[in-house]
Amino acid sequence: MAQSRTDARLGGIVILDYGSQYTQLIARRIRELGVYAELWPFDIAAEQALTLQPKGIILSGGPNSVYDENAPYLPQWVLDQNIPVLGICYGMQLLTHTLGGKVSPAHAREYGPATVTITHQENMLLKDFPQTFEVWMSHGDHIETPPPYFVSLGYSTNSPYAIIGNTDRNLFGVQFHPEVVHTPLGRKLLSNFVFHICQCQPDWTPAHFIEQAIVDIQSQVGDAKVVMALSGGVDSMVAATLIHKAIGEQLTCIFVDNGLLRLNEAHEVVETVQNVVGAKLIAVKADELFLDRLAGVTDPEQKRKIIGETFIHIFEEEAAKIEGVRFLGQGTIYPDVIESAAKERPHAQTIKTHHNVGGLPEEMTLELVEPLRYLFKDEVRLVGEALGLPERSVWRQPFPGPGLAIRCLGEVTFERLERLRLADKIFRDALAQAGLMREIAQAYAALLPVKSVGVMGDQRTYAETIVLRAVTTEDFMTADWAKLPYELLTQVSNRIVNEVEGVNRVVYDISTKPPATIEWE
């Protein structure tokens, strides 16, 4: 991506990834402070990482011991920059080991909550901290002897060196995880590191991002044409809005109504693109085609394949009608990039193309325009708000690519989809009226091909079952079921049974992820 002198990504924080499950959270926490942070594999080339002109480097945690064979190492260039470094957990142990200290197995492993007592409250890393504070530990090794010129800044029961520092060189290490919510003052510690030690500026804002993204898109695209597939999700809608803001009529959006969206969503997508975004739009109504191809299919993977192939066929057909297209717009976001790379390298976050619009074919010769590829989902929403998109678009919950087809277990028919659409709307409307939609990461109804006996009035019924699913999560890697008020569940159940024909039973899913997944199929 082209960089200008106003690029707010410059002068931020580089995070080297050593394999911790929490590494993404470090970047998110720092960005929440208004400072840009970017993840790289620990063995990234110096010249590549330093293009960001970082003012500080963070070494993440990880599952290894510094004494393991082929353990991830600390590149020499990190220490050669003479800029502040903060090691977290394994990162702290690695910093210690590299600089001549001693790391050894702890007598008692620490996994979970612990109390740290500060020994040097005057240190800027711990500015305005109380004498003791609660942290979240997750380690089997600990620091036995810190490196030369390092001092203990804090200790816990099982970690005599829970915080260490070399103030002269601005090198620090913490044995706990400041990035997780279980360390209540963790964000404050990161803030002290970023602002008081690294002297970063809080200029990573939606306004700055939009300004830079427009410059980048214009530089990349020039006077060529861009085509983009819209799903209706927040990522593709925000990306389309940014691209249109940059190049106007050079962008054409293609929206395929597959008949598998939630109630009124197809209409809302078209209305938003035409009346708010203002972009050229080709809207293809293909619900009958999708339903014909899904007839009799019950296997979820087969459903996905049929839907993906049908979408690609329609998209290619429509895109081919537009002359002079050289670019394909996509709503790829940073977690897509990270997770895609992680499949290829066990500890790396190498940037690579991630096809996020339903499996567009590799043989398409279009160059990608991905203005959101450095943003997390919460940042995408903030950018969407700054661009003036309606709340329903910005706060649309995650929705699977195959749509309701994978929430309609069993055969997908028009009647069963309508049944599911109405039940889903009743549930989500109730959550919205209770002011709970933003507290819940994902909520939906699923329709089971399971019939049971019921009684309505004086009549015996034999009808299908609706499952309600609502989860809370911070990163979607793990999720807990939402503890919804019984009164709300009672209201929703009564409405569904009374208003949705063909349903006589409603159940609430109280499974966590893992072992369950968030979706049913």
Side-chain angles (χ1 to χ4, degrees):
M1 181 181 284
Q3 294 176 342
S4 75
R5 289 182 298 174
T6 62
D7 192 341
R9 293 187 293 120
L10 302 181
I13 302 293
V14 163
I15 301 165
L16 298 188
D17 179 26
Y18 287 92
S20 169
Q21 61 180 317
Y22 305 127
T23 303
Q24 285 192 41
L25 287 180
I26 304 172
R28 289 182 61 182
R29 295 291 175 256
I30 293 172
R31 291 191 187 188
E32 286 166 3
L33 299 171
V35 174
Y36 185 71
E38 190 164 304
L39 300 179
W40 291 102
F42 74 87
D43 54 358
I44 189 72
E47 57 270 21
Q48 192 169 5
L50 295 176
T51 57
L52 293 173
Q53 301 171 23
K55 290 190 174 182
I57 297 172
I58 293 179
L59 314 176
S60 85
N64 294 90
S65 167
V66 294
Y67 298 115
D68 287 345
E69 186 178 359
N70 299 319
Y73 58 89
L74 178 62
Q76 183 59 41
W77 66 264
V78 172
L79 300 173
D80 290 343
Q81 300 311 306
N82 292 318
I83 59 177
V85 177
L86 173 64
I88 295 175
C89 200
Y90 178 81
M92 173 197 195
Q93 296 163 11
L94 188 60
L95 195 62
T96 298
H97 178 64
T98 304
L99 292 174
K102 184 175 181 181
V103 180
S104 62
H107 297 299
R109 296 187 174 192
E110 284 187 297
Y111 292 102
T115 300
V116 169
T117 300
I118 296 175
T119 55
H120 288 71
Q121 283 185 285
E122 75 282 0
N123 191 279
M124 293 304 291
L125 183 69
L126 303 168
K127 179 179 169 59
D128 297 328
F129 265 66
Q131 184 75 44
T132 62
F133 64 102
E134 300 305 306
V135 302
W136 184 262
M137 296 281 194
S138 180
H139 67 98
D141 292 346
H142 71 177
I143 309 302
E144 184 173 322
T145 306
Y149 310 109
F150 277 73
V151 297
S152 171
L153 302 177
Y155 63 88
S156 69
T157 301
N158 296 312
S159 293
Y161 301 100
I163 310 173
I164 61 172
N166 179 333
T167 304
D168 291 338
R169 294 186 62 186
N170 279 329
L171 303 178
F172 301 91
V174 294
Q175 188 61 78
F176 52 88
H177 287 274
E179 68 273 24
V180 302
V181 295
H182 307 296
T183 301
L185 292 178
R187 297 188 193 203
K188 182 173 182 56
L189 186 143
L190 291 172
S191 176
N192 284 347
F193 177 73
V194 167
F195 294 123
H196 296 308
I197 294 173
C198 298
Q199 300 292 309
C200 293
Q201 297 301 314
D203 51 10
W204 178 249
T205 65
H208 275 93
F209 171 80
I210 291 168
E211 178 186 350
Q212 184 62 38
I214 289 171
V215 171
D216 292 338
I217 294 166
Q218 291 171 340
S219 174
Q220 180 186 7
V221 173
D223 58 1
K225 290 183 179 179
V226 179
V227 65
M228 180 165 186
L230 277 183
S231 66
V234 59
D235 300 337
S236 67
M237 191 66 76
V238 172
T241 306
L242 267 176
I243 295 172
H244 180 258
K245 202 170 184 66
I247 62 171
E249 292 297 300
Q250 293 166 240
L251 170 68
T252 300
C253 296
I254 299 175
F255 171 62
V256 179
D257 179 4
N258 57 16
L260 303 171
L261 297 179
R262 291 171 288 201
L263 195 65
N264 299 326
E265 275 193 328
H267 171 74
E268 290 171 357
V269 171
V270 172
E271 182 183 56
T272 300
V273 176
Q274 292 179 335
N275 300 333
V276 180
V277 180
K280 287 191 291 188
L281 175 69
I282 298 173
V284 183
K285 188 169 175 57
D287 50 341
E288 291 186 5
L289 175 61
F290 278 87
L291 281 174
D292 284 347
R293 294 188 176 180
L294 288 169
V297 178
T298 59
D299 179 73
E301 287 307 312
Q302 188 65 15
K303 288 180 186 177
R304 287 184 173 88
K305 184 177 180 181
I306 290 170
I307 293 166
E309 289 177 348
T310 305
F311 165 78
I312 290 169
H313 173 75
I314 295 171
F315 180 81
E316 286 185 318
E317 194 173 69
E318 295 299 328
K321 299 175 184 177
I322 307 169
E323 293 184 4
V325 174
R326 280 184 46 209
F327 294 90
L328 173 68
Q330 285 197 157
T332 309
I333 64 175
Y334 204 29
D336 296 332
V337 175
I338 294 169
E339 289 159 18
S340 181
K343 293 176 183 176
E344 296 204 342
R345 297 175 66 189
H347 49 253
Q349 266 65 58
T350 305
I351 304 301
K352 69 185 286 288
T353 297
H354 178 94
H355 295 290
N356 72 321
V357 291
L360 292 174
E362 295 290 343
E363 61 269 18
M364 290 188 75
T365 57
L366 303 178
E367 186 179 337
L368 295 179
V369 180
E370 299 172 304
L372 309 181
R373 66 181 289 110
Y374 295 107
L375 298 190
F376 289 103
K377 178 73 76 173
D378 50 350
E379 294 175 309
V380 174
R381 296 192 196 282
L382 292 174
V383 170
E385 288 180 335
L387 288 168
L389 287 171
E391 183 177 1
R392 67 170 184 255
S393 297
V394 173
W395 289 97
R396 183 183 190 256
Q397 289 191 342
F399 192 60
L404 294 180
I406 62 170
R407 294 179 180 174
C408 184
L409 282 72
E411 185 177 8
V412 180
T413 67
F414 176 78
E415 291 76 20
R416 298 189 75 229
L417 284 172
E418 290 292 282
R419 191 173 297 157
L420 176 55
R421 263 190 272 267
L422 181 54
D424 182 76
K425 187 172 192 305
I426 289 171
F427 184 34
R428 291 186 299 111
D429 282 353
L431 291 171
Q433 289 165 10
L436 295 173
M437 281 301 277
R438 293 203 188 180
E439 295 180 21
I440 294 168
Q442 198 161 342
Y444 66 89
L447 181 63
L448 302 186
V450 176
K451 290 189 175 183
S452 62
V453 174
V455 178
M456 299 182 72
D458 294 325
Q459 300 293 320
R460 178 181 181 275
T461 62
Y462 190 56
E464 291 187 311
T465 302
I466 283 286
V467 175
L468 304 179
R469 178 77 157 143
V471 300
T472 58
T473 180
E474 191 163 290
D475 53 18
F476 287 89
M477 292 184 285
T478 62
D480 193 10
W481 60 279
K483 296 0 180 234
L484 298 179
Y486 291 152
E487 296 81 3
L488 184 145
L489 291 172
T490 299
Q491 172 198 348
V492 171
S493 177
N494 287 340
R495 282 197 59 192
I496 289 175
V497 170
N498 283 290
E499 298 176 31
V500 181
E501 187 176 348
V503 172
N504 67 357
R505 192 175 297 269
V506 177
V507 299
Y508 187 50
D509 185 346
I510 61 169
S511 307
T512 60
K513 176 189 178 181
T517 55
I518 294 176
E519 292 288 346
W520 266 65
E521 283 194 354

